[in-house]
Amino acid sequence: MPHFTVVPVKDQAQSSYDSLEGINWVDYRDTGQDYPDHQDTVSSDGHGNHKEDSPFLSSADAAGKKNDFYDRNLALFEEELDIRPKVSSLLSRLVSYTNITQGAKEHEEEESAQASRRKTPKSPNMGTLMGVYLPCLQNIFGVILFLRLTWIVGMAGIMQSLLIVLMCCSCTMLTAISMSAIATNGVVPAGGAYFMISRSLGPEFGGAVGLCFYLGTTFASAMYILGAIEIFLKYLVPQAAIFHATDPHGSDSAMLNNMRVYGTICLSLMAVVVFVGVKYVNKLASLFLACVIISIVSIYAGALKSMTHPPEFPICMLGNRTLVRDRFDVCSKTVVTGNITGPSQLWDRFCLPGNMSSTQCDDYFMQNNVTEIQGIPGLSSGIIRDNMWGAYQQKGEILEKPGLQSVDAHSAMENFGMYVSADIATSFTLLVGIFFPSATGIMAGSNRSGDLRDAQKSIPVGTILAITTTSLVYFSSVVLFGACIEGVVLRDKFGDAVRKNLVVGTLSWPSPWVIVIGSFFSTVGAGLQSLTGAPRLLQAIAKDNIIPFLRVFGHGKTNGEPTWALLLTGLIAELGILIASLDMVAPILSMFFLMCYLFVNLACAVQTLLRTPNWRPRFKYYHWALSFLGMSMCLALMFISSWYYAIVAMGIAGMIYKYIEYQGAEKEWGDGIRGLSLSGARYALLRLEVGPPHTKNWRPQLLVLLKLDEDLHVKYPRLLTFASQLKAGKGLTIVGSVIQGNFLDSYGEMQAAEQAIKNMMEIERVKGFCQVVVASKVRDGVVHLIQSCGLGGMKHNTVVMGWPYGWRQSEDPRAWKTFINTVRCTTAAHLALMVPKNVSFYPSNHERFTDGNIDVWWIVHDGGMLMLLPFLLKQHKVWRKCKMRIFTVAQMDDNSIQMKKDLATFLYQLRIEAEVEVVEMHDSDISAYTYERTLMMEQRSQMLRQMRLSSAERQREAQLVKDRHSLVRMGSLYSDEEEEVVEAPPEKVQMTWTRERCEAERRNRNNAPENFRELMSLKPDQSNVRRMHTAVKLNEVIVNRSHDARLVLLNMPGPPRNTDGDENYMEFLEVLTEGLERVLLVRGGGREVITIYS
């Protein structure tokens, strides 16, 4: 690679310009080497572009290496290049990303640049044919085609069989269209369907459907193993059976036990093969696929040959009943040996052996003739007319040919084993569930997307072509079976009428053994593939860490093989083996696959309808209506095939969904459900009226104002406890707080505060939102929260804030001015206000009040908040057993008896159960205590307003006149708030004592005692005396009646219009609530919140 040196040319004009703009030259010199001419050494790729070690440069690396890679052309962005990479770096990174080999790493784990250099990923080179088409063919063609399709055609008839195939193949085709859209909307790594669904519908749906897909794949392995064992025991080596029937009716149970034993052995061997080396399974895949293709070709060849030379498979009929052919040698009642006519083996089966007397024979046998008909009449025989319609049967019903003559007579039960009979009851819905697994396997292409040269082209083309091919094979097979094979043979599941031959094998050419051996190897191969894929799917789910109890299955051998997942898969597959019936396992398998396909369609439909910006699939031939149709067909097929299995499968998926929702790890994958929630929220917000809701719909939508301490911890968490008890999880709750400072400087602190509040909300089980604002003054921040919280019609209508504890002991008025300002703001905004006083004594969510009262003191009516709040609190388990009492105050001119009756009637109409009491307050003279309290209040206010004392003097003076009944001393609500004080201009500094300075100092000393004497002789204002009188009298009445109440709700008087009396207002509230343990001050928002109408 050529290297050259670049010598920078000094341009004086350019340097001057750069210095004016504040731009510095980027130094490319390496300080570790000595270049006497200060020339830059640049490694070139031949086009003048220098190289980079890493596509994402960090400032730490740059500082450590003393090497700077910034280009002079990007000097304007040089400060951001360490966090925002250049386009060339990004593109090289993305190219490396798309080359990740399948299953090597989860796609979201970014590998370092050094690791990328150390190990170059293998370039994917598989095309559509080898990567998608043939794997899909191998997965779709399976055991049902060879073992059950002829039986389905015989039971359902050609027309209904075509309908079954059409339904199943249409469902998978629509799902393939949806899957192609999702798979071409980005890279799909390991996990296939699970990955697509989880990243489209979120971790809850993804986990639920992923586990369903895993269970479906696991039961598929059990089904294939059962199919292989059935071929082995029925057609290959019947002598290998361990259990034998002692009577004709016990053959089914003996066969099931044989299936269980051999199935368990086969499963164990397969698990060992998968554990030892998956590479051997992958190498044998081509062989298994060849077996499938050869078997299908032999069926077509045999059908064409039957037009001229139908194979010889005669069927022996007694009347119109089909006989089991391997129980006798000659299809005749008598045989001629030499010139002597004697009883045949068939005669001996129905009569006493060695006796030609008809009196000791079966009645039906004697009255009906034995005939022999051709089992495979051939394609040109016209048998298709007889097989056009269905002939469903009940369990134990004998297979009969409708066209043959028969005399109905009694038949002995001991001869029942001579006839071919139905082993299970059949119906259209049952056959749908049994056939559907033969249409599954369409995900094979998407699972290999990492190995494809062009996945976004190969997956849609290969999958849709594979489904089209298999659908044509199924349609043609249904017609060929119905046109070539006799109806009773089609309905004979195990080939008893054709000497225990596989029914589809009787049609094949050149020999039935082609189908038997080919189907055996293909089913074994499909079982190995399922047993290989299922543990990897479980490992992908476990590694996503969305289901906590599955974490152990994410680990495996050092090479990444999922050992623990394979063990669990083997145990679950063993459950399917123990069922031992292919016909019972197939519907279970259908349920799980149908649920998976349902959610693939749902994912595509949701993404299409939401029109999310990231939804840009390269596959364009999709539509949301097709996805909905596919989803509807999946749901219909689930309930058609087996409604109880469908309910169980949906229940399993639902439980997994709820488990992930409550216990699983939080994942944000940009999924469609989150987008659907956003779209639904936007629609609901637009539908909501911007104005206030109707009175019947009113409920407190809370804005909880919290105070944080210096460590950003919530100072009074019981405010959140109270909010959760009031809301009981309903309605809107916004938790707000204010951080004092500059937004640019305090952004990190704001995020930490938000996280602290969210953690506390989770602890207290408050479902709502958190909003923290940064403001230069806390008072302004609170106003911003009151104004701007909420969105559209979802805005708060009630503010909850704490009481400013210790405001009397505070050295400055900042402790209570913010409180009063917030009260004024809520009043101006027509919001309700709740102030829990002594909130530290409020109960936690774990406490229970088994008795006690919630007392409501209804003094003035301000919308009915006082009535509604106790009712809402009593919905919570903490307050549920408390009784509600409502007190109202009557004056001298009120009729207290009539007031009590009216209040009781009003509560009855409100449907609120409460005890009613009317308290009479008599006019009385103002007591000396009231006068003294008012005087001390005004003296303190006047003193702090007029005297600017030192800190020590102010504390001493405040201690002299403070109230003796002050309550708990705690930190103020917003003690760190900046006070809006207009500072006096600084006095002129006197460096020497002049005459004017001495006179001024003497006057100040003389005025101080006069001000103090004026303070002591102060007479209280009469309006303040009246207010204090009201507060004292109400407090006496409330303490007398409600001193033992669990909670006291009380009207909160409004602040004075004149701001000069703010401190007096705080004193009135203190006096009003003295001696009460838990008080909730309530101030209505000026509108009715409760109504008597329905």
Side-chain angles (χ1 to χ4, degrees), residues 808 929 933 963 965 967 1035 1039 1070-1076:
R808 286 199 187 104
Y929 172 72
R933 286 294 297 262
D963 179 37
H965 295 291
L967 287 179
N1035 179 258
V1039 170
E1070 284 281 13
V1071 172
L1072 184 62
T1073 57
E1074 272 181 357
L1076 298 173

Side-chain angles (χ1 to χ4, degrees), residues 703 705 771 779-791 795-796 799 825-826 829 831:
L703 170 61
L705 299 177
Q771 186 162 353
R779 182 182 305 178
D780 294 342
V782 172
V783 174
H784 293 160
L785 284 174
I786 291 174
Q787 290 183 85
S788 60
C789 279
L791 182 64
K795 290 184 72 71
H796 59 276
V799 176
C825 289
T826 55
L831 302 176

Side-chain angles (χ1 to χ4, degrees), residues 888-904 916-922 1041:
T888 188
V889 176
Q891 302 298 324
M892 286 297 295
D893 53 350
D894 293 330
N895 186 343
S896 58
I897 298 175
Q898 188 62 37
M899 277 181 67
K900 186 172 182 178
K901 289 181 180 179
D902 294 343
L903 182 56
V916 176
E917 289 192 35
V918 177
V919 179
E920 296 181 352
M921 288 188 64
H922 303 285
R1041 297 295 186 95

